[in-house]
């Protein structure tokens, strides 16, 4: 049987990396030759989780068609967020919790999308459905994914299913959810050694919103001023990225993991959509987004509506 590659989106976050590892592990236990790979650099938060549970990071790839004819997507479905040559391979399965956009296949496939806070929550169900026990290490990574995507259960995307899954996985992994979760989030929020280029690409996703091409990048911080002190440099980098990618809008969001608010920097010819979407006024390209922490639920839908 030919090897199947399992991967999440570009600029991977913790859910993308950990769910790729967890689902490849499940497939292998079910007799499928599967390998998790990644489409970008590991961030600090994910690195903390991998090192804590002593699991190697998946290897980095940009293209997949030279290695496999069939792939499985986790934590994404939009083609611009996927492998550069995703159109040259057969997508066999998708396990996701995001909106469905810019996605079609020529053949039927297994597609599972649920409105929960994290892909790993769905995978927890799939392990049970297949009667496969989750190892301590894999449980720890799946727990890390849920903590990350839910901001330790504070995100509006978090559901009762996510909380229940996290409790189950924490017991298997042998960790205290709150103690481990806060330490992991703080590791991801340490941005002191990040370059401007790293800051705007650590967790960036590109979206097609109506006729507009939009990129939304998000970083978590304990103190947003650590990032905003570099606003001038950030704006130069964002302007360059807009020109390079022909974007209509680049929205850079800094989220305070302690008070659950965000500060946004918006540039591009469609920047006014941010004011409409969030009922704010941009001052020097910046606005505070009170109570906004989730790109998936509190940013992308609102921007999409504003840009219709």
């Amino acid at each position: 049987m030919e090897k199947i590659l399992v991967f999440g989106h570009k600029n991977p976050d913790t859910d993308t990396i950990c769910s790729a590892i967890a689902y490849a592990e499940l497939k292998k236990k079910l007799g499928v030759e599967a390998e998790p790979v990644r489409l970008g650099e590991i961030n600090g938060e994910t690195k903390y989780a991998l090192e804590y549970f002593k699991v190697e990071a998946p290897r980095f790839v940009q293209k997949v068609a030279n290695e496999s004819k069939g792939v499985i997507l986790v934590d994404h479905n939009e083609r611009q967020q996927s492998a550069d040559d995703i159109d040259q391979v057969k997508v066999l399965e998708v396990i996701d919790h995001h909106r469905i956009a810019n996605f079609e296949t020529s053949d039927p496939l297994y597609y599972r999308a649920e409105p929960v806070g994290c892909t790993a929550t769905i995978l927890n169900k799939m392990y049970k459905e297949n009667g496969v026990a989750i190892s301590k290490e894999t449980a720890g990574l799946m727990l890390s994914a849920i903590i990350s995507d839910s901001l330790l259960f504070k995100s509006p995307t978090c559901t009762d299913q996510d909380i229940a899954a996290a409790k189950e996985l924490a017991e298997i992994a042998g960790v205290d959810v709150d103690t481990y979760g806060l330490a992991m989030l703080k590791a991801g929020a340490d941005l002191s050694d990040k370059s401007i280029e790293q800051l705007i690409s650590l967790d960036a996703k590109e979206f097609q919103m109506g006729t507009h091409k939009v990129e939304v990048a998000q970083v978590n911080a304990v103190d947003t001023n650590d990032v905003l002190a570099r606003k001038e440099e950030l704006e130069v980098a964002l302007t360059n990225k807009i020109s390079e990618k022909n974007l209509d809008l680049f929205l850079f969001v800094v989220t305070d993991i302690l008070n659950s608010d965000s500060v946004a920097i918006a540039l591009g010819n469609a920047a006014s959509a941010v004011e409409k979407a969030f009922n704010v006024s941009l001052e020097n390209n910046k606005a505070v987004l009170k109570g906004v922490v989730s790109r998936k639920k509190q940013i992308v839908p609102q921007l999409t509506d504003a840009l219709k």
Side-chain angles (χ1 to χ4, degrees), residues 12 17 38 40-48 50 57-58 194 202:
I17 296 295
R38 58 185 170 90
E41 295 303 310
I42 300 287
N43 65 35
E45 178 187 275
T46 310
K47 184 172 183 284
Y48 180 91
L50 292 170
K194 302 301 181 199
L202 274 172

Side-chain angles (χ1 to χ4, degrees), residues 74-93:
V74 296
D75 197 35
H76 77 298
N77 64 80
E78 299 190 48
R79 289 184 175 271
Q80 70 273 17
Q81 298 174 8
S82 201
D84 290 344
D85 58 350
I86 192 67
D87 59 328
Q88 297 175 35
V89 293
K90 183 176 182 180
V91 178
L92 303 171
E93 299 182 34

Side-chain angles (χ1 to χ4, degrees), residues 14 43-46 48-49 143-155 177-191 219-222 255-258 260:
T14 301
N43 65 35
E45 178 187 275
T46 310
Y48 180 91
L143 169 65
S144 301
I146 296 172
I147 290 169
S148 175
D149 269 12
S150 71
L151 270 183
L152 200 51
F153 316 129
K154 290 192 293 185
S155 171
V177 174
D178 293 322
T179 303
Y180 170 75
L182 190 57
M184 187 195 78
L185 290 176
K186 284 185 174 179
D190 181 7
L191 305 171
V219 294
N220 293 334
V222 174
T255 298
D256 188 321
I257 64 171
L258 300 182
S260 300

Side-chain angles (χ1 to χ4, degrees), residues 24-287:
E25 182 67 20
L26 175 59
K27 299 301 285 188
K28 283 187 279 189
K29 288 183 176 179
L30 294 174
V32 177
E33 188 181 352
E35 180 193 359
V37 293
R38 58 185 170 90
L39 304 182
E41 295 303 310
I42 300 287
N43 65 35
E45 178 187 275
T46 310
K47 184 172 183 284
Y48 180 91
L50 292 170
E51 290 180 350
Y52 189 98
F53 292 104
K54 298 179 173 58
V55 178
E56 281 190 26
R59 64 187 176 87
F60 170 72
V61 301
Q62 283 183 295
K63 297 185 176 182
V64 293
N66 59 330
E67 296 190 50
S68 180
K69 293 178 182 176
V71 301
I72 295 173
L73 310 185
V74 296
D75 197 35
H76 77 298
N77 64 80
E78 299 190 48
R79 289 184 175 271
Q80 70 273 17
Q81 298 174 8
S82 201
D84 290 344
D85 58 350
I86 192 67
D87 59 328
Q88 297 175 35
V89 293
K90 183 176 182 180
V91 178
L92 303 171
E93 299 182 34
V94 176
I95 316 296
D96 193 18
H97 67 126
H98 294 93
R99 72 174 194 173
I100 301 170
N102 305 322
F103 179 83
E104 61 180 22
T105 61
S106 56
D107 298 293
L109 76 162
Y110 180 81
Y111 196 110
R112 186 158 179 169
E114 298 188 22
V116 292
C118 182
T119 308
T121 299
I122 305 171
L123 295 182
N124 186 52
K125 295 182 193 179
M126 296 178 73
Y127 268 87
K128 291 178 184 177
E129 290 163 3
N130 285 280
V132 175
I134 305 173
S135 70
K136 177 179 179 178
E137 295 77 15
T138 301
L141 295 185
M142 292 167 70
L143 169 65
S144 301
I146 296 172
I147 290 169
S148 175
D149 269 12
S150 71
L151 270 183
L152 200 51
F153 316 129
K154 290 192 293 185
S155 171
T157 61
C158 185
T159 67
D160 290 342
Q161 293 182 55
D162 298 296
I163 296 170
K167 289 179 178 177
E168 292 175 13
L169 294 164
E171 188 171 341
I172 298 170
V175 297
D176 176 79
V177 174
D178 293 322
T179 303
Y180 170 75
L182 190 57
M184 187 195 78
L185 290 176
K186 284 185 174 179
D190 181 7
L191 305 171
S192 57
D193 64 342
K194 302 301 181 199
S195 68
I196 293 294
E197 183 60 35
Q198 287 175 315
L199 284 177
I200 67 172
S201 62
L202 274 172
D203 188 5
K205 288 185 179 180
E206 192 178 301
F207 301 92
Q208 190 68 37
M209 298 182 181
T211 59
H212 299 86
K213 191 176 179 183
V214 178
E215 189 153 336
V216 182
Q218 184 175 24
V219 294
N220 293 334
V222 174
D223 184 350
T224 57
N225 289 322
D226 290 345
V227 178
L228 297 175
R230 307 168 74 182
K231 181 172 175 285
E232 287 186 13
E233 293 176 83
L234 282 166
E235 290 185 345
V236 171
L238 295 180
T239 300
N240 290 339
K241 197 65 70 173
I242 287 168
S243 176
E244 174 190 323
K245 291 187 165 185
N246 196 28
L247 301 172
D248 295 293
L249 169 65
F250 197 125
L251 182 64
F252 179 73
V253 181
V254 189
T255 298
D256 188 321
I257 64 171
L258 300 182
N259 70 20
S260 300
D261 292 331
S262 293
V263 179
I265 298 173
L267 290 171
N269 58 33
S272 61
V274 174
E275 297 182 316
K276 181 181 177 183
F278 304 105
N279 194 26
V280 296
S281 294
L282 289 169
E283 294 185 18
N284 295 320
N285 308 316
K286 185 181 77 171

